Amino acid sequence: MTVRFNAIGLVVSDMAAAVAFYRRLAFAFPEGAEKQPHAEAGLPGGIRLLLDTEESVRSFHPGWEPPAGSRASLALLCDEPAEVDALYAELTGAGYHGELAPWDAFWGQRYAVVQDPDGNGVDLFAALPPAAQ
């Protein structure tokens, strides 16, 4: 048997809000995805981001309930440290919750965390230049 990583799936309470958030991060959801119970965006390397509404999940798993907190996050690599700051400012300026403002992490990255509309963490990071580490 060969197992290959293929997709990351998130359950969302509001598909339109989730698609709008991830489109701001350059995820290419197809036109009309915001009106569907399931949506997919292809990522480089063949990986996909899958979004399913709570109602969609309950259609095949009737007893499903949203978890009381999140232990997962998506990590998005930016090309430059300034992009972390700019993206964080753009998202929080649009009303998304900033969980952790950009800072120079001791492990050598400019790092920040924003929450998507369902409270999932989205880590934004970029390598710091050698002199800043």
Side-chain angles (χ1 to χ4, degrees):
M1 174 180 2
T2 302
V3 177
R4 293 176 306 281
F5 183 63
N6 182 264
I8 299 164
L10 298 175
V11 179
V12 301
S13 58
D14 181 334
M15 182 64 79
V19 168
F21 176 83
Y22 286 104
R23 280 183 175 153
R24 284 180 170 271
L25 294 169
F27 286 80
F29 284 95
E31 195 63 38
E34 61 279 352
K35 298 175 185 170
Q36 300 300 316
H38 173 84
E40 298 185 15
L43 305 172
I47 304 299
R48 298 169 297 143
L49 177 62
L50 314 176
L51 303 178
D52 288 283
T53 62
E54 293 174 356
E55 296 80 17
S56 177
V57 172
R58 286 191 189 104
S59 75
F60 59 85
H61 185 355
W64 182 85
E65 291 295 326
S70 178
R71 294 184 178 206
S73 64
L74 300 180
L76 304 179
L77 173 64
C78 298
D79 289 330
E80 301 290 333
E83 290 178 1
V84 172
D85 294 37
L87 196 49
Y88 182 88
E90 176 190 332
L91 293 169
T92 57
Y96 298 104
H97 176 70
E99 185 175 328
L100 183 63
W103 66 291
D104 291 345
F106 62 86
W107 57 83
Q109 294 175 337
R110 185 72 174 164
Y111 185 85
V113 181
V114 178
Q115 290 182 350
D116 77 3
D118 290 286
N120 296 302
V122 177
D123 303 351
L124 309 172
F125 68 97
L128 290 169
Q133 295 183 23

